[in-house]
Structure formats: C-alpha cells, structure tokens
Amino acid sequence: MSKAVIRFLAVAVTTVLAVALGYMAYLAVDVNRRTVQTVNVSPVTADVGFSLDAMIFYREALVLKERGQTCHVLVQDGEKVGRGESFAVSFSSAADMEEYLELESLRDSFALVTASRGTKTDSATLRELNSKIYGVSRELSSVSGQGGLVSRESEDKLLELMLSRELCLGNGNEISALSDALKAKINAAQEQSPAGQFIVAEKSGYFSGLADGWEQVINLDRLLEFDFEDYSAAMKAGPLSIDTDRVVGKMIYGYTWYLCTVTDAETAGYIGLGKDVDVVIAGDERTLEVKSKKYSADGTQVFIIFECHMPLSDISVEREQRVTVVSDTYEGFRVPNEAIRVEDGVTGVYVLEGIRAEFKPVEIIYTGEGYYLVSGSDTDRDELFTNDAVIVGGKGLYDGKVIG
C-alpha cells in the first residue's frame, strides 16, 4: 500500500480517535451532572405464550470444495446468490489465497480513489464533506465505544470522504498520483495472481456458512411424510459429522421453511391442525401454519410440523431453537422494575423533566421478567410520554425535587 494511502488512513484513524475521546469526555461530564440513572421509554409489545424446543428445516444442499484446497467465500451469510453466480473461490494453498485477497484489496482501494475523483471542488461541497466526515466518525466511535465491530463498509465510506476532501482542498495531484500507483500495482499483481477455482450456484438460493450435518439426514420431502416414530428415530440418531476439509457451507432454496417440535398432548391441544399461529423465533415473529400433528403410539406426545412461506431475517440462525407460540400480546411502555413507585397509594414513575423529578401515575398492563409494561400516551404529556426519561432507582424522590 502506498504512503499516500497510509497517510489518508492515519488521518481517518486520528479523526475517529479524536471524536471518540470527545464523546467519552461528554459522557463523563453528563454522568457527573446527573445523580440518578434514567431510561428513555417508548411503546413496545410483549408476546406471551408457551415455549417449545424446535428444529428448523429448509430445502438445502451442502456446498463442497476439493479436498486440501483453501476457500474464500465471496458473499455474506444469508445473501441471495443467483443461478450461475460465483459465490466462493478455492485455491491450492493458503499463500495463493492471500495473493488473491491482496489483489482484491488493491482493486477496492482503486475504486474508492476513482469514486472520490468525481467530487466537485467548490466550498459548498467542502462544507458538506466536513459534515459527513464528522457524522461517520461519530458513528464509528459510538459503535467502537459500545464494544461493537466497525464494518468494512463504514471504514471505506470514511476513507472515500477524506479522499474527496483532499481533492476539494486542492490536492488533486496527490490523488492522481495515488490512482496511478494503485493501477500499476494492480497490473503487476494481476500478472502473478494465481488462478482460483470458482464455485458457481447451480440454481438461485441463499448461502449459509452454517452447515451442521442434518442436511445429510433430513430430506424435506421425506420429512413431510414422517410419523412420530420416524422423527423420533431421526432425532435419536442425530446429524452426520461434517467433513470440514470439503464442506464450505450450504445453499438454501426457496422461501418456504418448516419448524418441527415434539411436545406433550396437553400442550399440543392448544395448537389446532390447519390453523395459523404466531411464533417468535430467533427474535423474529412469523405466522406459521400447523401443517401436521402426529401422535405417539400411547397418545402422550405429539410431533408437530409448522410451515412458513416468509423467511427469517437471518436464515443462518442455529437450527435448534427455543421458540414461543404466542397466545396473547400486550402493548405499553416498558420500564424496569426499579422505576415503579407507589406514592400515597398511587402507582407511578418519576420522570426527569429538565432538572426536576415529576411523578406520573401509570397502570401496570403486564409484568415481565425484570420489567413492567405500563400505560402511557402519545398525546397527553401529563401521562407517561414517548421518550420520557424515567428515573430508575434513587432514594428520597418527590414530585418537583431538583436533580443534580
């Protein structure tokens, strides 16, 4: 990588660190100013029902590479791959793959430089770029400060903005030189780059790097014909082991998927055959049709298959899931247990209004684990209101008390 690229990256990193330090200083001042902890509230829903241990099955097939090869996947987990599209490339050695990745990195850098060279160089554009750089830097520092991972896309966006800013500042010759240097490196690397073997999708589907061996055990067409004993036998046998030297991942075809569970007859009685039920699974709520119910020989247990035609937001979730079949839904403002107070027999919460604590009566709608859903309003500010700063914990509070 050229010195110019390194210099621009160093400036970007310095900017991110400066914003992060400023943000941390602000937080320190804010914590010192306030003597109580608050949480901003907004309306939410709570789905209540009963839990089941279940398994997810798709129409799927393993993706294989040649034994002994090193493979690089070109798509993200859950990304759609069109028929005939290359979604992975394998090499005879790890060194060959590293050369390929270095070439791709050079091409990415060249694309950023090329994009930046189309920037206007007037003062209005410079002000806009400064604003965008500040916004992206602040976002990166916030994500990093909260322990999150900074995405490659965000880093590239910041670098492109800073290259564009350099162009606005009159450093066009340096940008041109950087472009020429990258182009020369790419041409040289292309001559030496080893040829990889691309893996191409035979038909359209979704790639997942999470292969677990059940793909070789449960055939979807056969699954739909399983009785209780068939499914129990398959679960007892378990999945086949994955040959990690050959398996790259798997392809998932179509939007339809199935959720399978075994439960007791009493619980199964609440799940009507042919009915639609709402199920919370891996953070998503989906409506599933009860496709089949197969009883054990003694009638005490039931094997149930649910069908859904809307994919999960992340199809690469673990196959084994603890799901909730929704029986009731409650709506209200979610507040921690420690925020609820009883003043003169009236249940309510204290809200920080400016520098004063204000008591607002509430009605408890639902009691959850560590929280309550309570009543509120989106029109009357005398009631608990969206984005109110509810005071959590603290002692000696009263209506009108000055805080901090």
Side-chain angles (χ1 to χ4, degrees), residues 87-106:
F87 62 92
V89 56
S90 57
F91 301 89
S92 58
S93 69
D96 285 349
M97 187 176 77
E98 287 301 318
E99 288 187 28
Y100 168 84
L101 293 177
E102 177 63 24
L103 176 58
E104 289 302 301
S105 178
L106 288 170

Side-chain angles (χ1 to χ4, degrees), residues 30-67:
D30 190 56
V31 168
N32 288 331
R33 183 178 66 83
R34 295 189 176 183
T35 59
V36 296
Q37 179 184 357
T38 63
V39 58
N40 292 93
V41 297
S42 58
V44 298
T45 59
D47 295 315
V48 181
F50 51 90
S51 297
L52 298 171
D53 290 318
M55 299 274 285
I56 303 173
F57 293 100
Y58 303 91
R59 195 171 299 279
E60 54 197 349
L62 293 178
V63 175
L64 305 176
K65 65 177 179 63
E66 295 297 328
R67 194 175 299 281

Side-chain angles (χ1 to χ4, degrees), residues 67 93 106 110 144 214 241 256 281 349 375 384 402:
R67 194 175 299 281
S93 69
L106 288 170
F110 182 73
S144 179
W214 283 107
S241 60
T256 302
I281 174 171
V349 297
S375 60
L384 189 59
V402 175

